[in-house]
Amino acid sequence: MRLLVAGAIYAAAHGCLVGGAPLFPDGTVVTYPNDVAVVANSFIVEFHRDATPLQARVVRRTPGLSVDHQFSGPFSGMVVTARGDATARRVAAIAGVKRVFPNRVHVLSYLAGTQNVTSTRLHEMTGVQRALEELGLDGRGVRIGIIDTGVDYMHPELGACWKTAGCPWQAGRDLVGDSFDYSAPDQPITPNATPVDCVGHGTHVSGILAARGPLVQGVAPGATFGMYRVFGCPRNGGGAPTTEAVIIQAMEAAYKDGHDIISMSLGGGGWAESPMAAYAAGLAARGVVVVAGNGNTGKNGLLTTDAPAVGNGVIGVGSVENWRFSGPGIVLVSQQGSFDVPTQQSHQYATPFAFAGDMPVVA
C-alpha cells in the first residue's frame, strides 16, 4: 500500500507551497479528498481582484452553468451550479477567474453541556468580571453579529424580544429554514421570518455574549446584536447541516448590516485560501473584528485550525490543556480512505505511530 502523507500545515500570508508549487494553483478546480462532503454540482468561483465585469459576464454565459449568488464586499466571486466537473473546468480557464472551489458541506453536532455556567468563578478566571465591574466595559455602543444555528431570542435572559425598541437583537435573519437539505438542490430554501434556534448551539453562544442575568452573565450584555442563522434543523439523527456558500452569505449580510464584530463558533477543514477563510480575512482587512472557533480537531496535533479561523487577521479561539504534548497533525490518504494520526498525548508517554513496520511513503 502506498500512502500520501500530508501534514496539516495551514497557509500563512502568501499561500501554501507543496514541492515549490501552490497548493491551489490559479486556473484550477480545487479537489478535496473523497471523505470531504460537497454539494453536488455546486461551486464557488473566485475572481482575481482586478477581474473586469466583462469577464464575470463571460462566466455567467457559460453553457450548462447558472449563477445562484454574486458576492459583494471583500471577496470577488459567485456561487454557481455547474453541469458536472467539465463545466467547472471550463469556468476555471476563463480569464479573470482565480480558482473554482466545490461548495463544502458543514454539519454541526451539538450536545448540551453539564457544566455549572452560573458560577461567578468563571468570570473571575477569564477577567470578564473585572472588565464589567472595575472598568465598566459591557459592550455598550458595539454591534456584534453572530453566525450560528439561530437564537431563542424570547429567552428571558436574552431580552425576550426581537427588533423592538430597546431590544438587544436589532439585526439578523434566517438564511436556511428548518428543512434545509443540501442533498436536494431542487427543494426550495424556505427561511423562517426570524432566526429561531432549533439546535441550541446559537443560543448557547448568545448567552456567552449577551446574557443579562440573573443566572447567567454575558461578556457584553450592553452590546447590540444580530443573529444570522446558517444551520438547518438536525435530520434523521444526524447533525445540523449548512454549506460554505451559506456561511459566506451570512458574513456578507452581517457586514452589510454594519457590525463591528462578527463571531462564528463554527468551521471545518480548510486553508487560508479557502473561500470562507478568504472572505473572513477580507472583512478583517476592512476593520471588522472577526472571531472564529479554532475547531474540535486539536486532539490530532498542532496546526489543525479550521477555516475561517485560519484566515489572515482572523482571531481564532480555542481551549488548551497544558498537561498534554502536541506535535504536527498528520493525515494519511490512501486508496482505502483517509485517517488522522493523532499526535497529542499526555506528556509522560511516548507518542505511538500507526504502523508496526516500515511503510513506503511518497510526498
Side-chain angles (χ1 to χ4, degrees):
M1 179 177 68
R2 303 189 74 199
L3 297 172
L4 173 64
V5 180
I9 303 172
Y10 289 90
H14 301 292
C16 182
L17 300 179
V18 177
L23 180 67
F24 300 137
D26 288 1
T28 60
V29 178
V30 173
T31 56
Y32 294 126
N34 292 334
D35 60 346
V36 174
V38 298
V39 183
N41 299 322
S42 180
F43 298 88
I44 298 174
V45 179
E46 179 185 7
F47 292 103
H48 286 285
R49 291 183 180 180
D50 57 354
T52 66
L54 176 60
Q55 291 167 331
R57 286 198 294 271
V58 172
V59 172
R60 288 177 173 273
R61 294 170 182 169
T62 301
L65 180 141
S66 60
V67 176
D68 302 316
H69 183 81
Q70 176 81 50
F71 291 120
S72 61
F75 182 87
S76 179
M78 58 178 64
V79 185
V80 302
T81 298
R83 193 182 303 146
D85 291 345
T87 301
R89 286 192 294 271
R90 283 199 299 273
V91 171
I94 295 173
V97 173
K98 188 174 184 180
R99 286 179 285 247
V100 177
F101 293 84
N103 186 10
R104 290 187 62 159
V105 172
H106 296 275
V107 178
L108 183 146
S109 298
Y110 176 67
L111 295 174
T114 58
Q115 297 88 348
N116 177 14
V117 297
T118 65
S119 171
T120 58
R121 300 287 299 178
L122 299 176
H123 285 334
E124 290 177 10
M125 290 185 287
T126 61
V128 171
Q129 186 171 351
R130 184 183 178 198
L132 290 170
E133 296 180 1
E134 296 183 26
L135 303 179
L137 302 175
D138 65 353
R140 199 172 308 275
V142 178
R143 295 176 60 87
I144 303 174
I146 305 169
I147 298 173
D148 215 293
T149 64
V151 60
D152 177 9
Y153 50 80
M154 293 307 295
H155 192 291
E157 298 199 20
L158 294 176
C161 57
W162 180 253
K163 294 186 179 181
T164 55
C167 180
W169 302 99
Q170 290 295 328
R173 60 189 178 94
D174 183 356
L175 284 80
V176 288
D178 294 350
S179 59
F180 177 74
D181 184 359
Y182 66 85
S183 64
D186 295 332
Q187 176 179 313
I189 297 176
T190 54
N192 296 306
T194 60
V196 63
D197 191 359
C198 65
V199 178
H201 187 273
T203 301
H204 176 171
V205 170
S206 298
I208 295 172
L209 288 166
R212 301 179 166 194
L215 292 179
V216 177
Q217 176 64 65
V219 175
T224 301
F225 295 93
M227 171 59 74
Y228 301 83
R229 177 185 169 184
V230 295
F231 290 94
C233 295
R235 303 174 65 251
N236 303 321
T242 190
T243 69
E244 185 163 16
V246 170
I247 294 172
I248 297 173
Q249 289 177 56
M251 283 192 266
E252 179 182 52
Y255 175 64
K256 288 182 177 179
D257 285 343
H259 289 96
D260 307 298
I261 300 171
I262 295 177
S263 175
M264 295 175 282
S265 181
L266 52 80
W271 303 75
E273 295 92 343
S274 64
M276 194 159 59
Y279 198 100
L283 292 177
R286 294 189 176 197
V288 180
V289 177
V290 183
V291 185
N294 281 345
N296 300 322
T297 56
K299 67 182 185 301
N300 294 331
L302 300 176
L303 308 174
T304 54
T305 300
D306 285 342
V310 75
N312 300 320
V314 177
I315 299 174
V317 180
S319 63
V320 294
E321 296 182 1
N322 288 337
W323 56 88
R324 299 188 70 83
F325 167 81
S326 291
I330 297 174
V331 180
L332 301 176
V333 183
S334 75
Q335 292 179 343
Q336 285 73 39
S338 64
F339 60 97
D340 296 323
V341 179
T343 56
Q344 184 188 94
Q345 300 291 335
S346 296
H347 69 277
Q348 66 265 37
Y349 300 114
T351 300
F353 199 62
F355 308 105
D358 294 340
M359 299 296 294
V361 171
V362 295

